[in-house]
Amino acid sequence: MSSLIKTILGVTTAVATLTQTITNGASLWGTLDCPTFPKFLTNNPLPLGYPWGGLTANGSNPYTQAPLTGVVRKYTFNVARTTLAPDGVDKDMIVVNGQFPGPVIEANWGDWIEVTVNNNLEDEGTSLHWHGLLQTATPWFDGVPSVQQCPIAPGASFTYRFRADLYGSSWWHSHYSGQYAGGLLGPMIIHGPNHLKGSEDYDVDIGPVFLTDWYHREYFDIVKDIMSTDIVTVLAAGASQNNLINGKMNYNCSLTTQACKENAGISKFSFETGKKHRLRLINAGAEGQQKFSIDGHNLTVIAHDFVPVTPYTVNMVSLGIGQRVDVVVTANGPATGSYFMRSSIQTGCTPSNQPDALAVIYYPSADTTKLPTSTAQTDTLSDCTEANYPLEDTTPIFTITPATEPEITHEIDITFGQNETGHWLWMMNDVSFRANFNAPVLLLAHAGNTSFPENWNVYNGGTAKTIRVILNNRSGVRHPMHLHGHNMFELSSGDGDWDGTVTNPTNPARRDTHVIRGNGHFVFQYDADNPGVWPFHCHIAWHVSGGLYVNLMERPDDIKDHMQIPQIMAQTCRDWATYTNGTVIEQIDSGL
Ligand code: C2O
């Protein structure tokens, strides 16, 4: 990226000559001025021509062999409220540096990333999470309030410092209440070894393609309804008003009483005729599963979350919230071509008033003032079951065979019901999670505590080296389940209870977010090689607000005996305590 563009996407807010193209969410994403991305950043040492030297996707263990590049990438994120209109409807949002979607974090595999977050919110805390990174040896910078840190108090600053320990496509987002549904999110691109050979390889990296269901109300107003005792209110609050691609879409203003501008504009992308383009699809929504396709083009999938896979070609991909799918698309249309990109919320399982997002891809000689006349792909995904690509057909490029017998197994049931005060909550083994922002579990574990209040849902892995979780969904709805600190070995997924069979036992699929079916099971395993306290939760914003969350405490002895936790963690708690002594926090949901 040129430094001018980098400045726009990264740190400062506006440059006069380009402002006229910055519309909707005040970001360049989804405009024809949006830069493409290089194969890797070159402003650092390049042993053997690459930042990662001779490491390869199929020959190097991504979990243990991140290179020591010695490079630090620094970012400044100013978090503030603002009114933006991504689809033409004014929304009270919380964003970084004035933009939605927010600025990119870009690094090479093994670099350090330093993000200084200035909380310019007047009356709420915040905390940012770097979705999918392992945070090996820096678990305190994972960004989950009540778990690894106290929230950053209004007016305070906090610098996260962590390693780009995996490579591929992801996103960062607030982990404080439902803030990310208010706009507090952005992309993360980490360049690493490429497993695509010769003619399979891509030529142009288009970068992130955010798919977000969209709500016109301020996030906390929605959370209030989600936490209502009236089930009709709860269900109505979960229905989105629109669906966006890279933060843009049009809206029929007659459907809202909010300030609204017709034809706000949809995202635009450019394709080079005959070239192969990499698109980094990210479902960063609050509730809805997405089905993504491009008219007239197939999609070759090359990675699931941070896991490179043997490429396969489909006409449509499905993404649960939190999931990423990297695809390569060959521009085999005519130079004058233009095509719709589409993403649809699967309304059979998720309510949405306007579930279909559109964007346009323009070839070099296309008229960019006109919309395409292209035809949608046939829908090859059955609406509510096909959430993940089948495990049996997924082959991670780097083979890892998990232990056949884990040292411990947690069995966890997901249920939904009313508590004694009439609130509709999600439960894991009958307990609905609730955060205590003033007392992060990791810091308490470091001080030697191993027992915690029941509603903190802490599962202690002790000294076990391999841990299996058998998750049973006793509710009829799907949940995109996300584990921090690890990629999960996805051992089995399907309807009903587990029959004990492991899918592809020598090299099972791995990823950090997996959608469990309604009334289905999901069995996964991980190697406990990363001491810390790791959230495992449903990534539907409204479900985690309702308590669908557990903490997996990993190797507490190592947390207690061998961790040097930076001073800033205790200071942030003191600042938060000072703030909350004077101000009552309105924590009506789980807090996460
Ligand atoms: Cu993307 Cu616990 O989060």
Side-chain angles (χ1 to χ4, degrees):
M1 276 203 239
S2 81
S3 62
L4 171 70
I5 298 295
K6 185 126 201 168
T7 307
I8 294 169
L9 293 175
V11 186
T12 54
T13 39
V15 170
T17 55
L18 283 172
T19 44
Q20 70 275 16
T21 63
I22 300 175
T23 55
N24 307 65
S27 78
L28 275 182
W29 303 117
T31 69
L32 295 174
D33 294 312
C34 188
T36 57
F37 289 81
K39 286 259 162 93
F40 49 85
L41 300 172
T42 53
N43 51 349
N44 53 279
L46 301 173
L48 305 172
Y50 296 97
W52 43 87
L55 299 174
T56 61
N58 63 349
S60 310
N61 187 325
Y63 308 108
T64 59
Q65 286 183 274
L68 293 161
T69 60
V71 174
V72 184
R73 312 270 170 202
K74 297 191 182 183
Y75 295 89
T76 302
F77 280 12
N78 296 315
V79 175
R81 278 199 184 262
T82 185
T83 300
L84 294 173
D87 63 352
V89 180
D90 276 5
K91 168 164 166 149
D92 177 2
M93 297 180 63
I94 302 179
V95 297
V96 162
N97 300 351
Q99 304 155 33
F100 176 78
V104 69
I105 287 179
E106 189 182 6
N108 292 322
W109 187 32
D111 289 350
W112 284 87
I113 295 169
E114 234 180 70
V115 187
T116 298
V117 177
N118 300 315
N119 181 3
N120 298 336
L121 298 171
E122 272 163 34
D123 54 8
E124 66 194 292
T126 195
S127 181
L128 298 187
H129 168 60
W130 324 95
H131 184 111
L133 291 181
L134 305 175
Q135 297 288 358
T136 308
T138 54
W140 44 84
F141 287 141
D142 192 46
V144 185
S146 84
V147 180
Q148 300 114 349
Q149 69 168 100
C150 290
I152 308 166
S157 294
F158 182 89
T159 299
Y160 293 91
R161 190 168 195 280
F162 54 90
R163 197 107 180 276
D165 51 20
L166 292 177
Y167 55 88
S169 306
S170 198
W171 56 308
W172 53 265
H173 61 83
S174 170
H175 221 301
Y176 182 101
S177 186
Q179 275 178 349
Y180 90 78
L184 198 37
L185 59 88
M188 197 157 63
I189 294 179
I190 301 171
H191 305 289
N194 181 355
H195 61 292
L196 304 173
K197 303 278 171 286
S199 63
E200 278 184 344
D201 198 6
Y202 62 93
D203 308 290
V204 183
D205 186 341
I206 296 285
V209 180
F210 274 103
L211 313 174
T212 52
D213 53 14
W214 195 243
Y215 295 76
H216 291 149
R217 291 197 298 152
E218 194 273 332
Y219 93 85
F220 202 69
D221 286 344
I222 302 174
V223 169
K224 283 181 188 152
D225 284 356
I226 291 291
M227 301 313 293
S228 166
T229 52
D230 173 7
I231 191 68
V232 177
T233 305
V234 175
L235 296 178
S240 53
Q241 281 75 55
N242 206 346
N243 195 16
L244 316 182
I245 294 177
N246 269 3
K248 296 177 171 52
M249 187 55 193
N250 296 324
Y251 193 69
N252 175 354
C253 289
S254 69
L255 298 176
T256 180
T257 53
Q258 286 169 253
C260 178
K261 180 167 128 274
E262 294 282 357
N263 299 316
I266 61 178
S267 280
K268 297 175 179 176
F269 297 89
S270 36
F271 267 16
E272 293 178 39
T273 319
K275 295 272 166 66
K276 288 183 152 63
H277 301 76
R278 177 178 188 162
L279 280 66
R280 301 166 180 268
L281 313 178
I282 306 162
N283 184 343
E287 159 101 32
Q289 176 102 10
Q290 302 271 353
K291 290 196 266 198
F292 176 92
S293 63
I294 299 175
D295 296 359
H297 296 74
N298 282 331
L299 311 169
T300 298
V301 176
I302 60 167
H304 293 163
D305 299 348
F306 274 138
V307 181
V309 297
T310 300
Y312 60 87
T313 300
V314 289
N315 75 335
M316 191 172 273
V317 297
S318 174
L319 295 96
I321 294 169
Q323 291 185 321
R324 290 86 67 209
V325 175
D326 285 53
V327 297
V328 173
V329 184
T330 305
N332 51 13
T336 53
S338 67
Y339 299 86
F340 278 119
M341 182 186 274
R342 304 178 195 259
S343 197
S344 295
I345 296 168
Q346 301 189 358
T347 48
C349 332
T350 316
S352 177
N353 300 335
Q354 198 303 98
D356 302 316
L358 289 174
V360 189
I361 293 172
Y362 291 109
Y363 278 61
S365 312
D367 180 348
T368 58
T369 64
K370 293 216 170 79
L371 287 177
T373 53
S374 57
T375 311
Q377 297 277 353
T378 26
D379 189 343
T380 48
L381 299 169
S382 63
D383 201 41
C384 279
T385 49
E386 302 309 319
N388 313 281
Y389 194 66
L391 298 184
E392 53 272 26
D393 299 333
T394 302
T395 310
I397 289 290
F398 184 80
T399 299
I400 303 179
T401 305
T404 47
E405 288 302 327
E407 282 179 51
I408 60 170
T409 299
H410 302 301
E411 187 155 0
I412 303 177
D413 284 7
I414 298 173
T415 51
F416 183 63
Q418 247 174 328
N419 72 355
E420 44 311 327
T421 52
H423 294 277
W424 291 91
L425 298 176
W426 288 97
M427 264 121 350
M428 295 183 84
N429 283 346
D430 297 326
V431 183
S432 186
F433 172 80
R434 188 165 169 94
N436 180 337
F437 288 149
N438 294 75
V441 183
L442 179 71
L443 308 190
L444 292 171
H446 184 243
N449 296 285
T450 50
S451 69
F452 305 97
E454 188 187 38
N455 64 2
W456 294 10
N457 277 1
V458 180
Y459 287 73
N460 187 344
T463 56
K465 295 217 174 47
T466 52
I467 296 172
R468 180 176 288 177
V469 176
I470 300 173
L471 190 66
N472 301 306
N473 187 359
R474 307 295 183 204
S475 74
V477 301
R478 296 179 299 188
H479 301 285
M481 300 303 302
H482 172 52
L483 176 64
H484 292 218
H486 293 278
N487 283 341
M488 307 177 272
F489 293 112
E490 303 165 272
L491 302 186
S492 177
S493 180
D495 295 327
D497 283 5
W498 186 39
D499 66 2
T501 324
V502 171
T503 306
N504 295 355
T506 51
N507 185 26
R510 306 186 297 265
R511 68 191 305 176
D512 60 53
T513 309
H514 180 100
V515 183
I516 186 172
R517 294 183 181 200
N519 297 307
H521 69 271
F522 169 47
V523 181
F524 68 94
Q525 192 164 305
Y526 58 100
D527 293 329
D529 52 8
N530 192 7
V533 180
W534 303 117
F536 175 59
H537 64 91
C538 175
H539 217 299
I540 291 177
W542 320 130
H543 292 184
V544 70
S545 278
L548 215 176
Y549 177 102
V550 298
N551 284 306
L552 298 172
M553 185 164 70
E554 184 164 334
R555 303 208 341 219
D557 293 350
D558 289 322
I559 296 173
K560 176 163 68 74
D561 299 335
H562 302 298
M563 266 183 198
Q564 300 289 323
I565 298 192
Q567 269 311 310
I568 183 69
M569 306 313 296
Q571 184 59 48
T572 301
C573 286
R574 284 193 290 273
D575 292 349
W576 181 254
T578 306
Y579 171 66
T580 53
N581 280 343
T583 314
V584 178
I585 296 302
E586 207 185 343
Q587 188 190 335
I588 55 168
D589 64 347
S590 74
L592 305 186

